[in-house]
Amino acid sequence: MAEQLHIAESTDKVERYKTLLPQIESLVHGEKDLTANLANIAAALRQTMNFFWVGFYLVKENQLVLGPFQGPIACTRIDFGRGVCGTSWKEMKVIRVDDVEKFPGHIACSSDSKSEIVLPVIKDGKVIMVLDVDSDRLSDFDDHDEAALRKVVGMVERFA
Ligand code: SME
């Protein structure tokens, strides 16, 4: 695939995801390297959707460790059950937070982050990483974001 992303001109997020998802599929198709694929997915999501921060935390020795991401620098390690990421890992479910200041134990990597969605990537019944997306606007993630990001996570589960 050409290393260029076609980004829909529409401001409608559903349209933008619709154009993006098959391109992510082609980006990772035929590439076996996990870091390369996660890096391109983070870049493609940020470029297309203008998220404040998007990246992966990988489970390593009972902690989440910062992996490929796009955005400002972030905390490198998160304990099981801590913050939104650690909670998504512990509960093995998608967590959407409309206002991060109202989430008990939220880990503030940046005060500019206002809302967040975290999705666990599950392999053989275990969380192996999480996809974390932050927005600098309150309540920025809705069912459309969740559905599209679940599809991205589905792709990661296939190659991870
Ligand atoms: N806010 C996250 C920490 C990671 S940063 O947002 C990149 C959390 O509470 O788990």
Side-chain angles (χ1 to χ4, degrees):
M1 130 129 207
E3 278 84 20
Q4 193 162 354
L5 209 56
H6 167 67
I7 300 173
E9 303 227 337
S10 169
T11 51
D12 175 19
K13 70 164 89 172
V14 177
E15 275 304 308
R16 290 171 86 85
Y17 278 124
K18 210 169 135 190
T19 319
L20 175 65
L21 290 173
Q23 294 184 86
I24 291 186
E25 191 85 67
S26 338
L27 264 175
V28 300
H29 182 77
E31 175 52 66
K32 284 200 213 101
D33 190 86
L34 181 65
T35 308
N37 284 336
L38 297 182
N40 259 344
I41 290 175
L45 280 170
R46 183 144 191 259
Q47 232 180 305
T48 307
M49 307 306 293
N50 297 319
F51 293 129
F52 175 71
W53 195 94
V54 46
F56 295 89
Y57 279 92
L58 283 74
V59 175
K60 290 183 184 175
E61 291 164 11
N62 225 31
Q63 275 189 319
L64 286 171
V65 182
L66 184 63
F69 73 97
Q70 292 275 312
I73 59 163
C75 49
T76 52
R77 287 174 186 269
I78 298 174
D79 288 329
F80 186 69
R82 286 219 46 226
V84 187
C85 293
T87 305
S88 170
W89 175 18
K90 185 177 176 183
E91 296 183 2
M92 299 180 85
K93 66 177 198 202
V94 177
I95 301 188
R96 234 154 78 183
V97 182
D98 286 335
D99 180 352
V100 293
E101 284 186 13
K102 295 195 176 129
F103 187 92
H106 168 256
I107 302 163
C109 293
S110 162
S111 57
D112 289 331
S113 172
K114 304 281 188 239
S115 58
E116 180 164 1
I117 183 169
V118 179
L119 303 96
V121 176
I122 298 170
K123 193 95 191 175
D124 301 326
K126 280 189 180 160
V127 175
I128 54 165
M129 67 182 93
V130 299
L131 168 61
D132 180 16
V133 187
D134 288 40
S135 169
D136 54 8
R137 287 177 294 177
L138 288 167
S139 306
D140 205 21
F141 301 103
D142 60 19
D143 290 347
H144 296 300
D145 295 284
E146 183 170 331
L149 294 171
R150 277 181 186 273
K151 285 184 187 154
V152 173
V153 160
M155 292 179 212
V156 177
E157 284 169 344
R158 286 197 288 281
F159 66 69

